Amino acid sequence: MPPPVLHAFPDSLVFTRRLGRALGWPVERIELHHFPDGESLVRVRAAAGGRAIVVRSLVEPNEKIFELLLAADALRRAGVTSLSLVTPYLAYMRQDRVFQPGEPISQRVLGALLGASFERVLCLEAHLHRTRSLTEVFPCRAESISAAFALAPWLERSGPLLLVGPDEESEPFVRGIAERVGFDWCVGLKKRQGDTEVRVALPHAQRGRRALLVDDIVSSGATLAAAAEALRAQGVERIEAAVVHAVFAEGALGRLRAAGIAQVVSTDTVPHVTNRIEAAPCLAQALAEEA
Ligand code: R5P
């Protein structure tokens, strides 16, 4: 049986080619046109009877989500027999409950939409807090691969560090990495009062140590900046940060630098100047096991 074809949007072509090289699978480009009124049109190249995997991270997600639905429709009309989605960064996972009256559960809305068009969804380190598994989000097969597999080799090369998660939500992630590399770890308590108003309290005095903040997402940078300030107040000499999804809203990198974070590295699920760690091998392994 011929291998599945990876279908890339223009913004996901670099990552998809890395995935294609890791798997030895072909890559096709999805042509994308934006009409003057803002509507999108996609064109795919697919053979009838083939298996297709669409690859796209969902940073700045709203338009991209609709374009994924268009691509899925186009691929089915072209006659593909199985259709999966690899979304290295999966958006809308943080709104997993109604925090204030009148809000939606965005996570469920996204799951219903994409799950109706794809038979399988695969991502890296989805933000799953109150939801235990992606199978609760999507009505189709869905899996989040732990980014600990991607981060651990980089951490081992960086030498012994204290791993610090900024909030309770980060605990499973930080513990998973720490167990893999054998480093000490702790997590803080976070209070968010607004998009960029965050306070983090850390448990122990860490005077003189070298600390690495680890988190799944940097968006405004307020969380990691607040955690860095708490570490500095405790006398930590060098603070670095490693994140999975470099979402980085405008001004976020400057906020981290101003907070005294000497180095920031990220995986390449979202293209960014801080990308140092390839995520494709983790996703390739999961895809290869089932091909
Ligand atoms: C939330 O719990 C996530 O794990 C991140 O800590 C959060 O999304 C980071 O957002 P920001 O950079 O805007 O503080």
Side-chain angles (χ1 to χ4, degrees), residues 68-134:
L68 282 179
L69 303 181
L70 297 180
D73 185 75
L75 287 161
R76 294 225 189 262
R77 287 177 194 284
V80 304
T81 50
S82 96
L83 182 52
S84 299
L85 170 65
V86 172
T87 178
Y89 169 59
L90 178 60
Y92 280 117
M93 290 298 106
R94 285 169 288 181
Q95 183 77 19
D96 60 0
R97 72 175 170 96
V98 174
F99 293 97
Q100 304 277 343
E103 291 178 350
I105 302 182
S106 312
Q107 185 189 75
R108 295 296 160 93
V109 175
L110 183 84
L113 258 182
L114 294 179
S117 285
F118 294 90
E119 288 143 43
R120 183 187 184 202
V121 175
L122 186 69
C123 71
L124 192 74
E125 201 63 49
H127 184 90
L128 297 176
H129 184 207
R130 281 153 288 261
T131 313
R132 275 166 306 156
S133 152
L134 273 194

Side-chain angles (χ1 to χ4, degrees), residues 9 18 31 55 97-98 104 118 130 132 156 183 202 205 208 215 283 285:
F9 281 87
R18 286 182 189 143
E31 299 304 329
V55 182
R97 72 175 170 96
V98 174
F118 294 90
R130 281 153 288 261
R132 275 166 306 156
E156 276 162 351
F183 294 173
L202 289 168
D215 207 0
L283 293 166
Q285 194 178 340

Side-chain angles (χ1 to χ4, degrees), residues 94 127 167 169 190 192 195 215-223:
R94 285 169 288 181
H127 184 90
D167 49 31
E169 297 175 21
K190 174 164 88 176
R192 185 183 281 278
D195 286 345
D215 207 0
D216 56 350
I217 304 166
V218 172
S219 180
S220 69
T223 298

Side-chain angles (χ1 to χ4, degrees), residues 135-158:
T135 54
E136 292 172 41
V137 177
F138 290 96
C140 60
R141 282 176 58 212
E143 194 184 353
S144 168
I145 305 296
S146 169
F149 296 108
L151 291 180
W154 182 85
L155 284 174
E156 276 162 351
R157 286 196 297 276
S158 301

